[in-house]
Amino acid sequence: DTGVSQDPRHKITKRGQNVTFRCDPISEHNRLYWYRQTLGQGPEFLTYFQNEAQLEKSRLLSDRFSAERPKGSFSTLEIQRTEQGDSAMYLCASSGNRVGYTFGSGTRLTVV
Amino acid sequence: KQEVTQIPAALSVPEGENLVLNCSFTDSAIYNLQWFRQDPGKGLTSLLLIQSSQREQTSGRLNASLDKSSGRSTLYIAASQPGDSATYLCAVTDTGGFKTIFGAGTRLFVKA
């Protein structure tokens, strides 16, 4: 297992386009998280899955954002009708029981 | 609502100096506390995880302490090196074990 993988590493998109990011967690971790980070700030919680169930969504996650984790394995985060304010680093992390977070390298989104 | 504060926001020290980074949190009902390192444009690397029942953790030149009653944690770095230059983030997980709140980080620069 090589850790948490995120794809793509970088994404540049035009305003109004839809984008989708993928996260592959550590296989034995049952929890998966999405965070967003802007320059000079700590990561902000977006959503959390335990296995395939999405248990919490932040108010930061507007109706343009949707996340899925089919079969409790990889997860996708989709942003529809992107806006310039969506430009950020999107981080995925996974964890298990009494095990701390392991983060992926992130997907840097730039909306032009 | 849990809030995590890190002081100082930035720190510049000469190589070889011992230093302390501070983290405070408002709600003492936590599951664990984790310290991370983040290099520019990269994801987060876990440094130390302290469970709520523990007082400290050590890894090499790093030592982290936890005082739940006062809502504080410190990260002690011994004999700092230029390679330690990075942003250090403190993160607190709630008692449900899934929602983690991050501080804004301390940007450390170690001068050779």
Side-chain angles (χ1 to χ4, degrees):
Chain A
D1 197 339
T2 56
V4 178
S5 299
Q6 290 189 247
D7 183 70
R9 293 293 305 276
H10 304 275
K11 178 71 176 179
I12 300 174
T13 190
K14 292 183 178 180
R15 190 173 50 188
Q17 297 294 305
N18 299 343
V19 294
T20 300
F21 311 141
R22 177 180 171 124
C23 171
D24 287 90
I26 292 174
S27 56
E28 55 266 32
H29 287 179
N30 59 347
R31 298 173 181 164
L32 185 148
Y33 314 80
W34 285 98
Y35 281 80
R36 181 174 71 185
Q37 187 179 27
T38 53
L39 198 62
Q41 300 298 315
E44 296 175 293
F45 173 81
L46 292 179
T47 191
Y48 152 71
F49 290 85
Q50 177 140 341
N51 301 311
E52 68 274 11
Q54 187 175 19
L55 296 187
E56 184 162 337
K57 292 172 60 174
S58 164
R59 59 180 173 78
L60 294 174
L61 220 61
S62 73
D63 56 5
R64 296 184 298 106
F65 288 71
S66 62
E68 296 182 344
R69 191 183 184 196
K71 303 178 182 177
S73 56
F74 71 92
S75 176
T76 58
L77 177 67
E78 180 183 17
I79 309 174
Q80 297 181 329
R81 305 182 302 281
T82 52
E83 302 172 355
Q84 287 188 321
D86 296 332
S87 295
M89 175 79 88
Y90 290 84
L91 294 162
C92 175
S94 67
S95 73
N97 291 333
R98 296 190 68 77
V99 175
Y101 282 31
T102 300
F103 275 87
S105 298
T107 294
R108 179 165 296 283
L109 173 66
T110 303
V111 181
V112 297
Chain B
K1 177 187 172 186
Q2 179 73 272
E3 294 181 2
V4 180
T5 304
Q6 291 188 246
I7 294 173
L11 182 63
S12 180
V13 301
E15 181 177 7
E17 190 163 299
N18 301 326
L19 56 100
V20 175
L21 307 182
N22 295 293
C23 171
S24 62
F25 48 95
T26 55
D27 186 349
S28 62
I30 65 171
Y31 184 71
N32 62 38
L33 183 145
Q34 200 163 356
W35 283 92
F36 293 88
R37 168 186 173 137
Q38 187 174 32
D39 293 292
K42 306 290 186 182
L44 280 69
T45 300
S46 178
L47 297 174
L48 290 165
L49 169 68
I50 311 177
Q51 302 290 353
S52 62
S53 59
Q54 297 174 325
R55 298 281 297 190
E56 67 176 346
Q57 285 288 328
T58 298
S59 176
R61 295 183 294 109
L62 305 180
N63 175 275
S65 67
L66 173 63
D67 184 343
K68 280 198 313 178
S69 61
S70 66
R72 294 184 181 184
S73 176
T74 60
L75 178 67
Y76 175 82
I77 303 177
S80 58
Q81 303 170 357
D84 295 331
S85 298
T87 296
Y88 291 81
L89 294 149
C90 168
V92 173
T93 299
D94 68 8
T95 51
F98 66 88
K99 188 169 182 179
T100 296
I101 304 299
F102 284 80
T106 293
R107 294 184 303 281
L108 173 65
F109 180 64
V110 181
K111 298 171 288 187

